[in-house]
């Protein structure tokens, strides 16, 4: 049975039009397979003929078995003055061999007159001819009514005539598109209600977030009677992006009780979101609703205290229901409850009455007042807690370092030397690098690997510098945040100093030390 509300994913076509988003054919296949496994109903793969990689995707996709998703190819109505059977667009979309095709056509007379430069009657014929032709070739046709809402506002009778022409020609679903992303929810709702009274089949909704209302407008369309929602994972798309499916799907399922997926799918939502970001080479947005790293992060001491007792007092759903998890942040706003919960998360046992708990809380507040920040530096926080509880001695000590720069013609060559002590054994190493910090990282790593070979797996993923008091000019205090990984887990460490090199050495040392003691 068909679901009450269908999810149509256009990440691979509309999403790839976003600035900085570029998928290879293999990327598209991997994402399509992930969407299929997740339970998405339609996956739009691209526009056949627009570029070689889209044709390669459709070639590869046609030879695969899809469990849940129906693969769709996208194109436009036949060209003005061209017979449908002679239009190369039709040949290209048939060559894609997809069971579903999505055709875009004009609803707005402004576009008909000024962009197509066609007569209104010919635009209607272009819509009808194209859909009928593709239906005759056994395709399920979805019709995207471009600028549907703008067109209806200007000339409601003509816009409606284009939608009815698509339905009469055999379109399975007529999708009303807020192509400019400028509509308000009340406009969406009013026009979808009107369309619903004139169109017998399914109505879809396709929104953009130019006003920040992409999800809101999609939900307005659904509540007015639309039964297909189009969007992209993580809201990728042209300009400011499309309706974000990772937001709209859990709202439909968990808030509006309108099931769109199997019960097994939603707990994989965060994983899906991060997977698509990874393939797109885009840093995951930590503030995304539902799936972001901070979506269930608690910082204020009063909030954390309440969450410890009754989680739903500050959480609208259980984080695990969409594959996320609760995070307790530690900062100068923290109370003892923050420290207790964070310590437990990091593997330490504390009690509210223990003097160490008060000591750690006071120390965190003191260090944060100096510029340290532990929200994203859990590795450094774990070291602070461990040293306060005296659970372990540092596995090594950096006794000193030196950085020098020499010019070789127009090239600067940076060299660093580092002296470390491990079990009363001193090791001195030298390394060159692309800048002083890179050279220090190389020298410190070279020295420590001789004692701790497992550190070969540790790599820096990110290096951030924040000037804390810019009014001090070049003498400003600097915070360095480093993110590291061993290929399996990730952690952050922090260093603060007037000297950016010293701050970097602190963060680097913490990163290696945490890697050694965290197990």
């Amino acid at each position: 049975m068909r679901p009450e509300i269908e999810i149509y994913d256009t990440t691979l076509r509309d999403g790839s039009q976003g600035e900085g988003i570029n998928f290879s054919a293999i990327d598209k296949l991997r994402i399509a397979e992930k969407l299929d496994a997740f339970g998405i109903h339609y996956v739009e793969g691209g526009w056949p003929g627009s570029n070689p990689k889209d044709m390669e995707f459709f070639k590869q996709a046609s030879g695969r078995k899809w469990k849940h998703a129906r693969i769709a190819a996208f194109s436009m109505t036949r060209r003005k003055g061209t017979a449908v059977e002679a239009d190369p667009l039709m040949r290209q979309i048939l060559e894609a061999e997809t069971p579903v095709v999505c055709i875009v056509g004009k609803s707005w007379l402004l576009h008909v007159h000024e962009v197509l430069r066609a007569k209104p009657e010919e635009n209607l014929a272009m819509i009808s001819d194209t859909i009928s032709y593709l239906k005759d070739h056994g395709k399920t046709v979805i019709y995207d009514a471009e600028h549907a809402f703008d067109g209806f506002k200007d000339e409601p009778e003509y816009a409606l005539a284009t939608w009815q022409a698509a339905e009469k020609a055999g379109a399975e679903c007529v999708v009303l598109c807020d192509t400019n992303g400028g509509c308000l929810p009340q406009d969406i709702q009013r026009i979808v209600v009107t369309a619903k009274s004139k169109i017998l089949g399914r109505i879809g909704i396709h929104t953009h977030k130019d006003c920040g209302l992409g999800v809101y407008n999609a939900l307005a369309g659904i509540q007015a009677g639309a039964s297909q929602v189009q969007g992209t994972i993580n809201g990728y798309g042209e300009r400011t992006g499309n309706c974000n499916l990772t937001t709209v799907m859990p709202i439909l399922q968990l808030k509006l009780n309108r099931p769109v997926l199997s019960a097994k799918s939603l707990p994989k939502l965060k994983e899906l979101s991060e997977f698509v970001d990874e393939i797109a080479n885009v840093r995951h947005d930590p503030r995304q609703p539902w799936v972001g790293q901070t979506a269930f992060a608690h910082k204020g001491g009063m909030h954390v205290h309440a969450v410890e007792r009754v989680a739903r007092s500050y959480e609208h759903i259980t984080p695990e229901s969409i594959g996320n998890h609760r995070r307790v942040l530690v900062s100068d706003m923290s109370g003892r409850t923050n420290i207790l919960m964070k310590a437990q998360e990091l593997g330490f046992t504390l009690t509210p009455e223990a003097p160490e708990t008060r000591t750690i809380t006071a120390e965190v507040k003191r260090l944060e007042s100096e510029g340290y920040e532990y929200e994203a530096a859990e590795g450094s926080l774990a070291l602070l807690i461990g040293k306060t509880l005296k659970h372990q001695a540092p596995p090594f000590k950096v006794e000193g370092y030196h950085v020098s720069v020499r010019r070789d013609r127009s090239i600067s060559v940076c060299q660093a030397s580092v002296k470390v002590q491990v079990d009363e054994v001193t090791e001195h190493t030298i390394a060159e690098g692309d800048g002083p910090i890179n050279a220090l990282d190389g020298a410190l790593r070279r020295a420590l690997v001789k004692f701790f070979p497992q550190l070969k797996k540790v790599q820096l993923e990110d290096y951030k510098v924040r000037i804390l008091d810019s009014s001090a000019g070049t003498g400003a205090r600097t915070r360095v945040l480093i993110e590291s990984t061993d290929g399996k887990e990730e952690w952050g460490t922090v260093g603060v100093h007037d000297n950016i090199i010293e701050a970097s050495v602190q963060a680097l040392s913490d990163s290696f030390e945490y890697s050694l003691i965290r197990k």
Side-chain angles (χ1 to χ4, degrees):
M1 294 179 61
R2 294 181 67 179
E4 177 192 356
I5 299 174
E6 296 176 329
I7 302 298
Y8 185 105
D9 182 279
T10 181
T11 304
L12 305 181
R13 199 270 308 172
D14 217 349
S16 68
Q17 294 178 177
E19 185 175 4
I21 306 296
N22 185 32
F23 297 122
S24 68
I26 296 300
D27 290 340
K28 288 192 169 195
L29 279 168
R30 293 185 65 193
I31 292 173
E33 289 172 345
K34 196 77 169 179
L35 294 170
D36 176 51
F38 187 75
I40 298 295
H41 307 125
Y42 295 95
V43 174
E44 188 176 78
W47 189 323
S50 64
N51 59 76
K53 65 185 178 185
D54 278 10
M55 286 309 299
E56 179 62 24
F57 166 80
F58 289 119
K59 179 181 176 181
Q60 295 289 334
S62 66
R64 297 174 186 245
K65 292 184 179 180
W66 304 93
K67 296 179 181 179
H68 303 287
R70 303 184 73 194
I71 305 300
F74 182 89
S75 191
M76 60 185 288
T77 57
R78 68 162 174 84
R79 292 184 173 91
K80 179 185 70 173
T82 303
V84 65
E85 61 273 8
D87 193 325
L89 289 174
M90 299 302 107
R91 173 180 54 79
Q92 290 165 349
I93 202 163
L94 291 176
E95 287 176 352
E97 297 184 349
T98 60
V100 179
V101 295
C102 183
I103 296 297
V104 65
K106 305 297 186 185
S107 298
W108 197 357
L109 270 177
L110 172 71
H111 271 248
V112 176
H113 290 312
E114 302 298 334
V115 179
L116 285 181
R117 298 190 176 179
K119 293 181 179 180
E121 296 78 14
E122 181 163 13
N123 180 51
L124 292 173
M126 291 160 63
I127 295 169
S128 298
D129 292 350
T130 304
I131 294 173
S132 296
Y133 178 79
L134 293 169
K135 289 291 292 183
D136 289 344
H137 282 77
K139 303 298 182 183
T140 295
V141 181
I142 293 173
Y143 178 68
D144 268 12
E146 189 181 33
H147 296 100
F149 298 96
D150 293 316
F152 188 91
K153 290 176 190 177
D154 274 5
E155 295 285 346
E157 290 186 4
Y158 184 76
L160 186 57
T162 64
W163 310 340
Q164 290 174 323
E167 181 182 44
K168 185 177 180 180
E172 184 90 2
C173 181
V174 175
V175 181
L176 307 185
C177 303
D178 180 25
T179 310
N180 287 344
C183 283
L184 298 178
Q186 56 264 36
D187 298 325
I188 300 287
Q189 198 156 27
R190 173 176 59 86
I191 294 170
V192 171
V193 166
T194 301
K196 187 69 176 172
S197 68
K198 302 293 184 180
I199 294 174
L200 299 177
R202 281 184 178 251
I203 292 175
I205 182 73
H206 178 119
T207 60
H208 287 252
K209 53 184 180 181
D210 296 72
C211 293
L213 297 171
V215 169
Y216 194 171
N217 282 343
L219 293 171
I222 292 292
Q223 291 181 309
S227 56
Q228 182 186 106
V229 58
Q230 295 192 353
T232 62
I233 301 300
N234 298 327
Y236 294 174
E238 200 162 15
R239 304 184 307 279
T240 60
N242 288 43
C243 168
N244 189 342
L245 290 180
T246 61
T247 301
V248 81
M249 290 189 294
I251 290 176
L252 288 170
Q253 188 123 341
L254 300 178
K255 299 295 185 178
L256 298 178
N257 196 27
R258 307 286 293 274
V260 292
L261 300 162
S262 74
K264 296 179 180 179
S265 292
L266 273 187
K268 300 176 183 177
L269 184 65
K270 180 175 174 62
E271 177 191 341
L272 172 65
S273 171
E274 292 176 338
F275 177 86
V276 174
D277 272 344
E278 182 68 24
I279 297 297
N281 197 27
V282 171
R283 189 167 182 80
H284 191 64
D285 181 2
R287 291 175 177 81
Q288 275 227 60
W290 302 89
V291 296
Q293 187 180 10
T294 68
F296 299 93
H298 305 282
K299 183 175 182 178
M302 183 179 70
H303 289 207
V304 173
H305 183 67
V307 166
E308 183 194 27
R309 294 189 172 183
V310 184
R312 65 189 180 92
S313 63
Y314 279 97
E315 291 178 349
H316 65 104
I317 62 159
T318 57
E320 293 76 18
S321 65
I322 40 82
N324 213 329
H325 64 278
R326 179 180 306 118
R327 295 174 62 238
V328 175
L329 307 180
V330 173
S331 74
D332 56 355
M333 297 177 64
S334 301
R336 277 185 294 169
T337 304
N338 296 59
I339 298 297
L340 289 167
M341 294 181 69
K342 196 66 184 177
Q344 183 179 17
E345 182 182 318
L346 293 170
F348 299 99
T349 301
L350 286 175
T351 60
E353 300 78 17
E356 293 88 352
T357 303
R358 294 182 182 275
T359 300
I360 293 167
T361 303
E363 184 67 359
V364 167
K365 290 179 181 288
R366 182 186 70 80
L367 289 170
E368 292 237 349
S369 71
E370 294 182 4
Y372 287 82
E373 182 181 278
Y374 291 102
E375 290 181 14
E378 296 177 349
S380 292
L381 178 63
L383 294 176
L384 186 156
I385 294 173
K387 289 169 184 175
T388 304
L389 296 176
K390 300 179 181 179
H391 284 174
Q392 71 274 321
F396 65 87
K397 179 182 178 182
V398 178
E399 291 192 325
Y401 61 86
H402 176 77
V403 178
S404 62
V405 181
R406 72 176 191 276
R407 287 193 171 273
D408 185 0
R409 296 179 182 177
S410 60
I411 301 173
S412 294
V413 179
C414 293
Q415 186 180 77
S417 62
V418 174
K419 184 185 291 186
V420 299
Q421 186 180 56
V422 180
D423 294 333
E424 299 184 357
V425 176
T426 300
E427 180 69 24
H428 180 252
T429 56
I430 299 174
E432 292 185 349
D434 299 326
I437 310 306
N438 184 236
L440 275 168
D441 178 26
L444 183 58
R445 187 184 301 269
R446 185 176 294 176
L448 292 175
V449 162
K450 292 183 178 180
F451 301 96
F452 311 106
Q454 62 268 42
L455 291 180
K456 290 179 180 179
K457 296 180 180 179
V458 177
Q459 300 293 329
L460 264 62
E461 282 199 319
D462 204 357
Y463 173 86
K464 297 185 181 74
V465 176
R466 176 77 179 271
I467 304 302
L468 300 177
D469 51 343
S470 57
S471 61
T474 54
R477 200 163 181 78
T478 303
R479 178 169 64 228
V480 170
L481 180 68
I482 287 176
E483 294 181 19
S484 306
T485 182
D486 60 2
K488 295 180 180 179
E489 298 181 36
E490 299 175 348
W491 60 91
T493 51
V494 65
V496 175
H497 202 272
D498 298 337
N499 182 339
I500 187 174
I501 295 178
E502 174 62 28
S504 300
V505 169
Q506 290 177 20
L508 282 167
S509 297
D510 276 9
S511 175
F512 291 126
E513 184 177 343
Y514 180 68
S515 174
L516 294 172
I517 63 95
R518 63 192 173 88
K519 297 302 182 183

